Amino acid sequence: MEGEKINSFNFKKTPLFNKHGSKITYTKIPSTCSLSNKAFRLPLIWVYNLSDLSLMDKAPFKSKVECASVLKINRNTVATHLNTNISYKNKWLFTCKQLTGKELSQFVVPSKVWEIVTGELLADGHINYDPLKAPQINGRLVFTFSKKILYYVRYLKYDALAHICTDSEPTPWPNPIEGQNTKQYWFSSKRLASFTLLHNIWSKQINGKSVKILPKNIAELLTPLGLAHWIMGDGYFDDSVKICTDNFSKEEVGILIKILSDKFGIKATLRKRLNPNSKRVWRISISKLSMEKLKLLISPYMIPEMLYKLGIK
């Protein structure tokens, strides 16, 4: 069978006679488990372009050497990434198995998930990726929430973002096995090339550290579904909805307020606040006159347990 290892041989005594004598020699003959050329064939290497999920021209390749030669990269690079689901330069996926459309689809994030991700990144979500120390390792999304809303953590991981997450349990912090009371739960997405690309538009390097910024096309990215998740993730109700935008600059918060008005017809104002470190931060306060419009717009996308953030009991 193809790929099967042959561990033993049958040795058959085969007399060879000629007219000059009767000397006997022995020949090594493979056993009947069949040693065809096919059995020794190395696995083919399929290479997919993750930007459009297409099979690379000239693939599949017969060897790592051939693959490396065509891509003009080192053979060890192919060996390192082969069958790992970790792309090379966030673009090429190397596998010894021809992938079906369904299998390839795991590398495509549905538009609905992108909308949710936008809202969660406007809140406290962030992208874990190190372009300086580990550029070859794809990015992943990381979410952390208070223990009090574990139900929301589970909703995000197993429902809203199930397409990009594993089935593992959310991680408690501190871990109760260490004898401490759990205060938060966190989980991360799978590592995908698309999240590495996402990191490029949601962050910039300042003094060697990635800092979250607003994407230039945030007005296009933000939808009612994303707005619902933004408020579920980082909003609270105090006479009207307030949104914690502490991680963004005053100018960026002003951009978000303008988007709420221009795109959704929701009026809001800028509020100054001092955080526990006495640092001045800026938040969004939704106008009471826009609350009914906001409720109609996003309540269909909110889970019942989170409606209290709209003042709905």
Side-chain angles (χ1 to χ4, degrees):
M1 296 177 63
E2 184 174 358
E4 181 179 1
K5 292 183 178 180
I6 309 302
N7 297 316
S8 62
F9 291 91
N10 288 336
F11 291 89
K12 180 178 179 180
K13 183 183 287 187
T14 306
L16 298 180
F17 299 98
N18 58 49
K19 64 181 180 179
H20 300 294
S22 59
K23 182 178 179 180
I24 298 177
T25 61
Y26 296 88
T27 57
K28 185 177 178 181
I29 300 177
S31 67
T32 55
C33 63
S34 179
L35 278 182
S36 63
N37 289 334
K38 193 175 182 180
F40 288 104
R41 184 184 301 163
L42 294 174
L44 296 174
I45 299 177
W46 305 80
V47 184
Y48 293 93
N49 185 336
L50 292 182
S51 62
D52 58 9
L53 299 186
S54 63
L55 181 65
M56 181 183 174
D57 188 31
K58 298 183 181 180
F61 301 104
K62 296 178 181 179
S63 68
K64 299 182 185 73
V65 173
E66 180 187 5
C67 179
S69 176
V70 172
L71 277 175
K72 293 180 172 50
I73 59 177
N74 191 286
R75 175 188 177 280
N76 289 334
T77 300
V78 178
T80 299
H81 291 80
L82 188 61
N83 297 326
T84 63
N85 278 352
I86 298 175
S87 66
Y88 171 62
K89 288 191 173 180
N90 307 311
K91 183 176 182 180
W92 302 109
L93 184 70
F94 302 92
T95 172
C96 285
K97 174 187 175 184
Q98 183 177 13
L99 301 179
T100 65
K102 183 178 180 180
E103 289 169 324
L104 277 172
S105 67
Q106 69 174 305
F107 297 98
V108 178
V109 180
S111 58
K112 177 181 176 180
V113 173
W114 279 121
E115 294 177 40
I116 293 172
V117 166
T118 295
E120 295 295 337
L121 287 178
L122 283 172
D124 286 332
H126 72 275
I127 305 168
N128 178 261
Y129 175 65
D130 192 335
L132 300 178
K133 295 182 180 179
Q136 75 281 8
I137 301 177
N138 281 324
R140 64 176 180 171
L141 305 176
V142 181
F143 306 95
T144 303
F145 294 94
S146 166
K147 172 186 176 181
K148 297 178 181 179
I149 55 171
L150 179 57
Y151 55 84
Y152 186 64
V153 176
R154 292 186 174 279
Y155 160 70
L156 275 182
K157 183 172 175 59
Y158 302 125
D159 188 343
L161 301 178
H163 186 90
I164 58 173
C165 295
T166 66
D167 294 330
S168 63
E169 285 292 315
T171 302
W173 182 89
N175 197 316
I177 64 175
E178 298 174 354
Q180 301 182 58
N181 293 326
T182 296
K183 297 179 180 179
Q184 297 177 324
Y185 282 88
W186 71 273
F187 70 93
S188 63
S189 70
K190 300 173 184 176
R191 290 190 179 275
L192 298 177
S194 52
F195 299 142
T196 299
L197 299 175
L198 196 67
H199 182 270
N200 296 333
I201 68 170
W202 276 92
S203 67
K204 65 179 179 180
Q205 292 288 321
I206 299 179
N207 297 325
K209 182 179 179 181
S210 291
V211 177
K212 187 192 293 186
I213 61 172
L214 280 184
K216 293 180 180 179
N217 63 336
I218 186 61
E220 175 187 347
L221 296 176
L222 186 59
T223 64
L225 175 58
L227 178 56
H229 276 265
W230 182 16
I231 290 175
M232 285 193 288
D234 233 0
Y236 64 96
F237 187 82
D238 181 14
D239 290 331
S240 68
V241 170
K242 309 294 189 294
I243 308 176
C244 301
T245 46
D246 301 11
N247 291 324
F248 296 109
S249 68
K250 180 180 180 180
E251 291 72 23
E252 289 174 319
V253 178
I255 291 172
L256 292 170
I257 289 174
K258 189 174 188 305
I259 291 172
L260 289 174
S261 177
D262 294 349
K263 188 169 184 177
F264 305 114
I266 295 172
K267 303 301 179 182
T269 56
L270 188 69
R271 293 290 180 90
K272 181 173 66 174
R273 178 185 175 92
L274 293 179
N275 67 14
N277 296 325
S278 297
K279 179 182 177 181
R280 184 172 58 184
V281 295
W282 303 93
R283 293 185 175 181
I284 293 174
S285 177
I286 304 297
S287 169
K288 292 180 182 180
L289 299 177
S290 291
M291 280 303 303
E292 288 306 313
K293 180 176 288 188
L294 179 65
K295 291 177 184 178
L296 289 174
L297 181 67
I298 69 172
S299 60
Y301 303 108
M302 299 179 70
I303 60 174
E305 295 89 342
M306 282 293 189
L307 289 174
Y308 73 92
K309 293 201 172 191
L310 292 179
I312 300 174
K313 297 181 180 180

